[in-house]
């Protein structure tokens, strides 16, 4: 028989509430604590009780320091890998929105997921944590299932999400969640040219989910495509 012990992930020393103001934009943290009731059970954060894991704090320190760095997060299921990159990105956008005082237009953060199911899995989390900004900090899930247009009442239901290709092309949001196939289409397809034109000089973040799955020619293709981006 083989006995294998598993140990809990090591927690840091400060709660999210204690990080407010110093490490994180207060408006972001307060918004995360007051999500829409439909996301309350799963994504509303009790900021005074939420103490991040040590590996999350290390990722935040690296991604939010003045010297720009890339970070690779390798950790177990349920260890909060998404928070490692999503908190710094949302904090960056919250700071920019505060300084500009207006809606952010143009892609700042590009999230690449290998499967549509993984793209969908981020939808509620993004909707919950950007909801307090209205339509100032928006996101779009862009894949083959994205509709060309949606009824106006649907578009206005949750203004933080861009729900159609038409709206995406007219005013690209700061967060674009897609896959490598759609990204290649965007680079060559005339209909998507407005997304590129309105995002010139704004891209700051690229997230590769499940990075270890990119091997061989697939990895080479993605690397070359990111250079084009």
């Amino acid at each position: 028989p083989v006995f294998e012990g598993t140990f809990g992930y090591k927690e840091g020393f400060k709660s999210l509430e204690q990080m407010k103001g110093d490490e994180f934009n207060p408006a972001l943290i307060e918004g995360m604590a007051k999500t829409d009731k439909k996301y309350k059970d799963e994504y509303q954060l009790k900021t005074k009780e939420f103490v991040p894991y040590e590996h999350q704090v290390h990722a935040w320190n690296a991604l939010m320091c003045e010297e720009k760095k890339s970070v690779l997060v390798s950790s177990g299921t349920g260890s909060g890998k998404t928070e490692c990159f999503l908190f710094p990105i949302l904090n960056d956008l919250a700071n920019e929105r505060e300084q500009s005082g207006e809606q952010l237009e143009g892609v700042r953060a590009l999230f690449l997921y290998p499967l549509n199911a993984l793209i969908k899995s981020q939808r509620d989390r993004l909707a919950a944590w950007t909801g307090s900004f209205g339509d100032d900090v928006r996101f779009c899930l862009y894949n083959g299932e994205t509709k060309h247009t949606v009824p106006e009442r649907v578009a206005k239901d949750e203004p933080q999400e861009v729900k159609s290709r038409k709206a995406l092309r007219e005013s690209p949001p700061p967060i674009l969640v897609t896959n490598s196939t759609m990204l290649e289409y965007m680079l060559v397809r005339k209909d998507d040219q407005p997304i590129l034109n309105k995002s010139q000089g704004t891209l700051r973040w690229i997230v590769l989910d499940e990075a270890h799955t990119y091997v061989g020619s697939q990895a080479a293709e993605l690397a070359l495509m990111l250079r084009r981006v």
Side-chain angles (χ1 to χ4, degrees):
V2 176
F3 294 89
E4 183 177 351
T6 58
F7 303 91
Y9 300 102
K10 190 174 181 181
E11 289 188 347
F13 299 102
K14 296 166 70 176
S15 69
L16 206 55
E17 183 69 24
Q18 291 171 313
M19 294 181 174
K20 185 173 73 175
D22 294 328
E23 286 94 335
F24 288 103
N25 187 297
L28 173 64
I29 302 304
E30 290 163 10
M32 288 176 162
K34 299 176 183 177
T35 61
D36 187 283
K37 60 183 179 181
K38 71 175 76 172
Y39 308 116
K40 184 175 181 180
D41 293 338
E42 192 168 2
Y43 293 116
Q44 186 178 56
L45 297 183
K46 297 178 180 178
T47 55
K48 292 182 180 179
E49 301 171 18
F50 182 92
V51 178
Y53 295 128
E54 205 170 67
H55 63 271
Q56 292 175 324
V57 176
H58 286 321
W60 296 346
N61 290 340
L63 290 171
M64 296 195 297
C65 67
E66 289 187 14
E67 180 189 351
K68 302 304 178 188
K69 297 179 179 179
S70 293
V71 168
L72 183 135
V73 180
S74 177
S75 187
T77 302
S79 63
K81 292 188 289 293
T82 300
E83 286 83 353
C84 286
F85 64 82
L86 192 52
F87 274 51
I89 290 174
L90 292 178
N91 187 64
D92 181 36
L93 298 177
N95 287 337
E96 185 183 0
R97 177 253 192 184
E98 191 173 86
Q99 292 166 7
S100 67
E102 58 187 23
Q103 183 189 73
L104 302 182
E105 184 179 85
V107 179
R108 272 77 164 166
L110 177 65
F111 296 7
L112 294 177
Y113 287 82
L115 300 172
N116 283 343
L118 294 172
I119 293 175
K120 288 181 180 178
S121 71
Q122 297 305 317
R123 191 262 162 202
D124 287 355
R125 191 194 310 258
L126 285 167
W129 291 349
T130 59
S132 62
F133 296 110
D135 63 354
D136 285 350
V137 179
R138 299 164 299 142
F139 69 93
C140 179
L141 310 183
Y142 190 30
N143 58 27
E145 299 174 7
T146 307
K147 293 180 171 61
H148 285 280
T149 59
V150 296
E152 190 173 349
R153 59 177 177 77
V154 174
K156 289 183 176 180
D157 180 37
E158 289 183 289
Q160 68 269 40
E161 181 182 6
V162 175
K163 300 183 177 74
S164 70
R165 300 184 185 210
K166 183 176 183 291
L168 169 63
R169 291 159 181 163
E170 288 176 351
S171 180
I175 299 174
L176 181 61
V177 187
T178 187
N179 56 49
S180 58
T181 302
M182 292 300 293
L183 181 60
E184 182 142 28
Y185 287 156
M186 286 171 54
L187 293 173
V188 299
R189 192 160 51 188
K190 183 179 179 182
D191 289 346
D192 286 333
Q193 195 63 40
I195 303 172
L196 303 180
N197 293 341
K198 294 178 181 180
S199 300
Q200 288 293 321
T202 63
L203 184 64
R204 297 195 290 270
W205 302 86
I206 297 176
V207 177
L208 290 180
D209 190 62
E210 303 290 334
H212 64 283
T213 63
Y214 294 101
V215 294
S217 61
Q218 185 186 20
E221 285 178 14
L222 183 64
L224 291 168
M225 184 159 56
L226 288 178
R227 293 182 193 178
R228 285 163 60 198
V229 171

